[in-house]
Amino acid sequence: MIHPSARSGKLPLVPLALSTLLPLAMLASQAQAQEECERGALAEIYCDENGDMVADRPSDESEWANPDTLIFAYTPVEDPAIYSDIWQPFIEHLEEVTDRDVRFFAVQSNSAQVEAMRSGRLHIAGFSTGPTPFAVNLAGAVPFALMGSDDGRFGYTLQLYTHVDSGIDEMEDLKGKRVAHTSPTSNSGNQAPRALFPEMGIVPGEDYEVVYSGSHDQSMLGVVAQDYDAAPVASEVVDRMAARGLYDPEDVKIIYESDSFPTTSYNYAHNLHPDLVEKIEEAFFSFEFEGTELGEEFEGVEKFIPINYQDNWKVIRTIQNANGVEYTPDNLQ
């Protein structure tokens, strides 16, 4: 079944509001009915008997979800309408392979996106690197793919930008400055700097003032406008911004770049019917980026490649553990 709006060439774009979701208290009550099981760091409504660090599919087949309409959401971005159009070729491919209607939902925050999957209102989602462990542990998300190249390479780096006229040339020059971090749960925008910068003699929040901008886009534009002295951001985001002409690369400079991290994870809800999961994975791994708007937006990406949370997010969990991160709703921003 193909959604009528897809046939007309325009996808529905509906904001995913936090107020429309089931209260966490109602969902937490389900834990009382959950049998005792191995779960590691997962919320009490999930089990992890096989030790792969993600929620097991419910043992009771009556609890498997098999919806006629699939809800897909990409990470929170500055202009969701643009990404609705960019994702259109993939949405149509996903509809064809799964034989389901697929609706693209715009999310306004990481917390809204995670709670949407936890509530059962979101079936497939791309979660940013840092929030992925929250999605896994709080919402039962199962990471299975990310964007990469034909030879299996993937990843992005933390890049620390400053304005060319800032007078900042090395890490030590950040002392006493005003530096934009994106949000508390962001990997490259906050968690990684807090874990890595002290090794270089700079402690965020002590040696410089941390100001949360809300997004990588806002951090970068703030550096360009000299509202912030510097900003740690994700390389893939600023590369796309430059490609769209949102800033002039000549106005900024990089004073630090990290090793690579995994990119946005693509997940399905843990309770989806296994036959549906098989079709979802087929759709991702058979999609051809070349010649599509998605391929143009994510330059250098050639396909979705299979991954697993336990192995590919180990470095991220290590960084978050070093920062004392606990996977609770209150800590998800």
Side-chain angles (χ1 to χ4, degrees):
M1 296 181 359
I2 304 300
H3 197 281
S5 59
R7 293 193 187 98
S8 67
K10 188 171 180 59
L11 292 173
L13 178 63
V14 184
L16 202 55
L18 185 59
S19 61
T20 65
L21 306 180
L22 295 177
L24 288 181
M26 293 176 58
L27 292 163
S29 67
Q30 298 173 14
Q32 297 175 359
Q34 176 68 271
E35 60 183 292
E36 284 302 315
C37 59
E38 295 296 327
R39 59 174 55 91
L42 298 175
E44 291 185 354
I45 58 176
Y46 308 116
C47 289
D48 178 24
E49 295 290 3
N50 62 5
D52 63 358
M53 304 185 77
V54 299
D56 297 336
R57 182 176 291 110
S59 56
D60 185 348
E61 293 187 17
S62 67
E63 297 179 13
W64 293 355
N66 199 11
D68 292 330
T69 298
L70 298 175
I71 309 301
F72 172 82
Y74 183 55
T75 61
V77 292
E78 196 65 25
D79 191 343
I82 292 178
Y83 276 83
S84 174
D85 293 337
I86 289 171
W87 278 98
Q88 181 172 331
F90 175 77
I91 295 296
E92 293 176 348
H93 178 70
L94 183 59
E95 287 184 318
E96 182 178 351
V97 174
T98 62
D99 194 27
R100 313 288 169 105
D101 292 343
V102 179
R103 301 182 67 186
F104 181 97
F105 272 69
V107 292
Q108 306 302 318
S109 68
N110 293 318
S111 59
Q113 187 181 24
V114 169
E115 291 179 23
M117 182 165 282
R118 180 180 174 112
S119 73
R121 295 175 180 268
L122 180 61
H123 308 117
I124 310 168
F127 289 104
S128 297
T129 304
T132 289
F134 285 86
V136 167
N137 289 290
L138 296 179
V142 180
F144 69 95
L146 48 69
M147 294 179 179
S149 61
D150 282 335
D151 61 5
R153 289 182 293 108
F154 62 86
Y156 73 100
T157 63
L158 179 171
Q159 295 177 331
L160 183 61
Y161 278 90
T162 186
H163 195 275
V164 290
D165 297 326
S166 68
I168 299 174
D169 298 308
E170 54 188 33
M171 293 296 292
E172 188 176 89
D173 296 333
L174 293 177
K175 291 183 178 179
K177 302 299 185 181
R178 191 167 181 264
V179 180
H181 286 207
T182 58
S183 63
T185 57
S186 173
N187 179 60
S188 57
N190 184 59
Q191 294 292 329
R194 290 186 182 276
L196 301 177
F197 287 4
E199 298 177 357
M200 294 175 278
I202 294 294
V203 180
E206 294 182 15
D207 292 316
Y208 65 71
E209 178 188 359
V210 172
V211 181
Y212 288 114
S213 69
S215 71
H216 295 273
D217 307 60
Q218 292 292 351
S219 287
M220 196 62 187
L221 294 176
V223 168
V224 173
Q226 300 188 65
D227 294 330
Y228 309 124
D229 296 306
V233 290
S235 59
E236 60 176 357
V237 176
V238 295
D239 287 347
R240 292 198 297 271
M241 290 177 66
R244 293 201 301 269
L246 298 181
Y247 75 95
D248 185 349
E250 296 297 321
D251 291 336
V252 297
K253 60 183 177 182
I254 299 175
I255 60 173
Y256 168 78
E257 185 168 17
S258 73
D259 292 333
S260 293
F261 302 119
T263 57
T264 296
S265 65
Y266 292 89
N267 305 249
Y268 57 79
H270 80 293
N271 63 334
L272 294 186
H273 193 288
D275 292 343
L276 176 56
V277 168
E278 183 178 351
K279 287 296 185 181
I280 291 171
E281 291 182 338
E282 178 186 340
F284 271 81
F285 298 136
S286 64
F287 180 72
E288 297 182 1
F289 280 78
E290 186 176 359
T292 69
E293 289 187 70
L294 199 61
E296 293 175 3
E297 176 69 6
F298 295 93
E299 187 176 356
V301 169
E302 294 161 310
K303 65 179 182 180
F304 288 103
I305 61 176
I307 52 95
N308 71 80
Y309 174 73
Q310 187 170 29
D311 295 334
N312 297 111
W313 253 256
K314 182 177 180 180
V315 62
I316 305 304
R317 296 194 303 272
T318 298
I319 289 172
Q320 293 179 342
N321 182 64
N323 288 318
V325 172
E326 295 182 359
Y327 302 123
T328 66
D330 289 342
N331 289 335
L332 178 60
Q333 298 181 35

